[in-house]
């Protein structure tokens, strides 16, 4: 399994959309709708808070995604043993929460994207070429996020004011923070691109020249990011990928990384602090404070929550902390799900993620050549804890999540079919003759 990440690779774009068909175009529209954060004419509101931007961008692209899905309305048959069934169930719960949501319109818009995402997954999983189509969805996802990160970096290098933030990075005094990709988002994207290429290379799916070119590109993007979480993603991801290949490689990486961090500890701490105090770091930039408040708010509506996608807003609006008033989410997909969809939502959402992780580990052992995809489960977990991930609302990782869930379901169905054939009596293989 190969996922080229260079955004100027026209052949990769063409082959991915050819293989994916209408689900691929639907995914493109959905990612544009969900990941854009265009400012509303300088009023300081992000896209998900701006009615005008919703009407001009998010709404039209979401409906365009639905239209592409409905061009050929065919979906795969799934049962309760399929992960895609539970993703559809999670999406349906999201939609149903409009009935008790504290902000029904906001929940309706976000649940619409979840429902369309579920339809994309089910449609791509239909037919004998489902594996090729699902792989193409993953390819499209990596190319789209790579293009967004590349454009954001170009805007930063051109010193366009809306693309620059006064926050130190690895080698620069300022970092990229564009309307399309924030500083944290750029770090998440760069780390995801690096890990998938590393996984493909160590699985011998691509040549070392191709790998080093693409990893260098990903690290180039990473230089201008302002995400501390992405450091952890890279460190843990590289460690696990190396462990899957060789324990000696893993221990060597840990030793070299540890020595480097110790030698340059002052510079590393300066980068990690990014102008904040150590107390801010220990509090995870206000995350701990928000999570404690979220837990207390959840206890008031423990079963159903405050409505999909709006739990964080309810919590923050009642905190009366000036430094957090500009926050629009709890920066945790788990806490957003807990407050938004309650106990039922967290059981389904987190249960699905745990099951996906379990089967990913099994598949990684059985099919190490697909390491470029399987390594993304690490990325999904960390971003779901520290950011939105795949639990809070629709984002760029969902294309990867779709691919992962779809491949696991296909593999498990094949295993069940093989077991059924193996258990068939010998007489079932013998042709019957009519005299």
């Amino acid at each position: 399994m190969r996922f080229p990440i260079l955004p100027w690779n026209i052949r990769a774009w063409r082959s991915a959309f050819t293989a994916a068909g209408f689900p691929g175009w639907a995914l493109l529209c959905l990612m544009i709708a969900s990941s854009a954060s265009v400012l509303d004419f300088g009023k300081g509101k992000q896209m998900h808070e701006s009615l005008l931007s919703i009407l001009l961008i998010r709404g039209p692209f979401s409906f365009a995604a639905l239209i592409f899905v409905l061009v050929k309305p065919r979906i795969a048959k799934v049962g309760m043993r399929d992960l895609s069934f539970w993703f559809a169930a999670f999406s349906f719960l999201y939609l149903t929460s409009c009935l008790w949501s504290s902000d029904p319109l906001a929940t309706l818009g976000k649940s619409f994207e979840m429902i369309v995402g579920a339809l994309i997954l089910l449609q791509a999983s239909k037919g004998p070429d489902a594996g090729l189509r699902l792989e193409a969805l993953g390819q499209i996802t990596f190319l789209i996020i790579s293009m967004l990160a590349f454009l954001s970096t170009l805007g930063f290098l051109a010193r366009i004011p809306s693309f620059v933030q006064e926050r130190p990075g690895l080698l620069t005094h300022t970092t990229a923070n564009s309307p399309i990709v924030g500083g944290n988002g750029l770090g998440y994207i760069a780390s995801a691109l690096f890990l998938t290429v590393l996984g493909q290379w160590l699985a011998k799916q691509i040549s070392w020249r191709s790998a080093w070119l693409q990893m260098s590109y990903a690290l180039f993007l990473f230089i201008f990011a302002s995400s501390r979480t992405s450091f952890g993603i890279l460190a843990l991801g590289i460690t696990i990928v190396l462990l899957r290949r060789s324990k000696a490689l893993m221990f060597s990486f840990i030793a070299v990384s540890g020595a480097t961090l110790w030698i340059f500890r002052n510079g590393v701490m300066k980068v990690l602090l990014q102008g904040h105090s150590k107390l801010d770091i220990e509090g995870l930039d206000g995350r701990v404070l928000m999570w404690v408040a979220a837990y207390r708010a959840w206890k008031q509506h423990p079963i159903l929550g405050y409505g999909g996608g709006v739990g964080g807003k309810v919590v923050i609006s009642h905190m009366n902390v000036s430094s957090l008033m500009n926050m629009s989410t709890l920066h945790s997909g788990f806490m957003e799900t807990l407050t938004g969809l309650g106990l039922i939502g967290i059981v389904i959402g987190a249960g699905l993620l745990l099951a996906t992780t379990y089967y990913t580990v099994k598949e990684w052992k059985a099919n190490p050549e697909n390491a470029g995809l399987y390594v993304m489960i690490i990325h999904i977990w960390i971003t779901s804890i520290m950011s939105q991930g795949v639990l809070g609302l629709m984002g760029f990782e969902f294309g990867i999540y779709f691919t992962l869930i779809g491949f696991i379901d296909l593999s498990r169905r094949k295993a069940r079919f093989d077991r059924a054939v193996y258990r068939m009596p010998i007489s079932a293989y013998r042709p019957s003759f009519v005299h």
Side-chain angles (χ1 to χ4, degrees):
M1 188 179 297
R2 300 179 181 179
F3 297 115
I5 66 167
L6 300 179
W8 51 83
N9 189 337
I10 304 300
R11 180 180 297 178
W13 285 94
R14 184 170 57 247
S15 61
F17 279 103
T18 300
F22 288 113
W25 291 104
L27 179 62
L28 172 63
C29 292
L30 193 61
M31 289 189 66
I32 293 175
S34 62
S35 63
S37 31
V38 180
L39 292 175
D40 185 16
F41 299 103
K43 295 181 181 180
K45 291 185 176 181
Q46 297 297 317
M47 177 182 168
H48 53 268
E49 298 175 339
S50 165
L51 177 61
L52 184 60
S53 295
I54 290 173
L55 293 175
L56 295 179
I57 301 175
R58 195 158 201 156
F61 277 100
S62 296
F63 277 105
L66 179 63
I67 291 172
F68 278 119
V69 169
L70 296 179
V71 170
K72 290 185 178 181
R74 57 175 191 173
I75 60 175
K77 294 181 180 180
V78 296
M80 295 185 67
R81 290 188 292 181
D82 293 312
L83 299 179
S84 51
F85 171 87
W86 292 105
F87 181 79
F90 182 76
S91 302
F92 182 74
L93 175 63
Y94 215 106
L95 177 63
T96 306
S97 70
C98 291
L99 298 176
W100 62 83
S101 175
S102 61
D103 189 348
L105 289 178
T107 297
L108 179 62
K110 294 174 182 178
S111 64
F112 180 80
E113 295 175 355
M114 297 291 289
I115 291 293
V116 173
L119 291 174
I120 292 173
L121 171 60
L122 293 174
Q123 188 177 89
S125 302
K126 175 75 172 182
D129 56 346
L132 183 62
R133 194 157 47 243
L134 287 166
E135 183 178 350
L137 290 184
Q139 176 65 86
I140 290 171
T141 302
F142 281 116
L143 288 173
I144 290 174
I145 62 176
S146 179
M147 176 62 77
L148 293 177
F150 184 62
L151 293 176
S152 179
T153 302
L154 288 181
F156 169 78
L157 294 176
R159 309 307 292 177
I160 299 175
S162 59
F163 284 67
V164 181
Q165 68 173 339
E166 299 299 325
R167 194 172 179 181
L170 283 174
L171 302 175
T172 58
H173 296 292
T174 56
T175 46
N177 185 44
S178 73
I180 53 177
V181 178
N184 285 332
L186 183 60
Y188 297 154
I189 290 174
S191 59
L193 297 177
F194 182 90
L195 288 177
T196 189
V197 175
L198 177 65
Q200 295 172 72
W201 176 42
L202 293 179
K204 300 181 179 180
Q205 295 298 298
I206 56 178
S207 67
W208 70 269
R209 292 182 180 179
S210 177
W212 281 103
L213 173 62
Q214 294 181 81
M215 286 192 292
S216 297
Y217 163 76
L219 290 178
F220 173 75
L221 299 177
F222 190 81
I223 290 174
F224 307 107
S226 58
S227 169
R228 290 183 291 266
T229 303
S230 57
F231 279 95
I233 294 174
L234 276 179
L236 183 59
I238 293 173
T239 300
I240 294 180
V241 171
L242 293 178
L243 174 62
R244 299 300 309 160
R245 179 65 184 274
S246 167
K247 290 183 180 179
L249 283 175
M250 183 198 71
F251 286 120
S252 298
F253 169 73
I254 293 175
V256 172
S257 300
T260 303
L261 289 175
W262 176 255
I263 294 172
F264 298 101
R265 57 189 180 279
N266 293 331
V268 171
M269 182 57 66
K270 182 179 179 181
V271 171
L272 292 178
L273 288 175
Q274 293 181 346
H276 298 275
S277 67
K278 290 186 178 181
L279 186 61
D280 291 331
I281 301 301
E282 293 171 357
L284 301 178
D285 281 348
R287 284 179 172 89
V288 173
L289 184 63
M290 289 190 293
W291 296 346
V292 171
Y295 174 72
R296 293 171 178 170
W298 164 72
K299 290 193 294 184
Q300 299 178 21
H301 296 270
I303 306 300
L304 298 176
Y306 296 90
V310 300
K313 290 184 177 181
V314 172
V315 173
I316 295 172
S317 65
H318 289 85
M319 289 182 64
N320 295 322
V321 179
S322 58
S323 60
L324 300 178
M325 293 307 296
N326 292 327
M327 295 285 190
S328 58
T329 71
L330 296 173
H331 285 271
S332 170
F334 286 96
M335 298 308 295
E336 283 288 346
T337 301
L338 184 65
T339 55
L341 299 175
L343 187 61
I344 297 177
I346 198 67
V347 167
I348 297 176
L352 173 61
L353 185 53
L354 285 169
T356 303
T357 305
Y358 171 76
Y359 289 114
T360 296
V361 174
K362 291 185 64 175
E363 290 294 321
W364 200 337
K365 293 179 180 179
N367 303 291
E369 67 275 7
N370 295 333
L373 173 63
Y374 299 146
V375 69
M376 294 310 299
I377 194 64
I378 303 166
H379 198 283
I380 288 172
W381 263 101
I382 297 179
T383 54
S384 295
I385 294 172
M386 298 296 293
S387 185
Q388 294 305 302
V390 295
L391 291 173
L393 47 87
M394 185 65 65
F396 80 83
E397 284 186 314
F398 272 91
I400 301 170
Y401 202 35
F402 294 162
T403 306
L404 195 54
I405 289 176
F407 265 102
I408 290 173
D409 281 346
L410 289 179
S411 178
R412 294 180 67 211
R413 287 181 204 137
K414 181 179 182 301
R416 290 197 295 266
F417 176 79
D418 291 342
R419 286 195 298 268
V421 171
Y422 178 78
R423 292 170 182 171
M424 289 175 63
I426 297 177
S427 59
Y429 295 96
R430 295 175 181 171
S432 59
F433 297 94
V434 180
H435 296 283

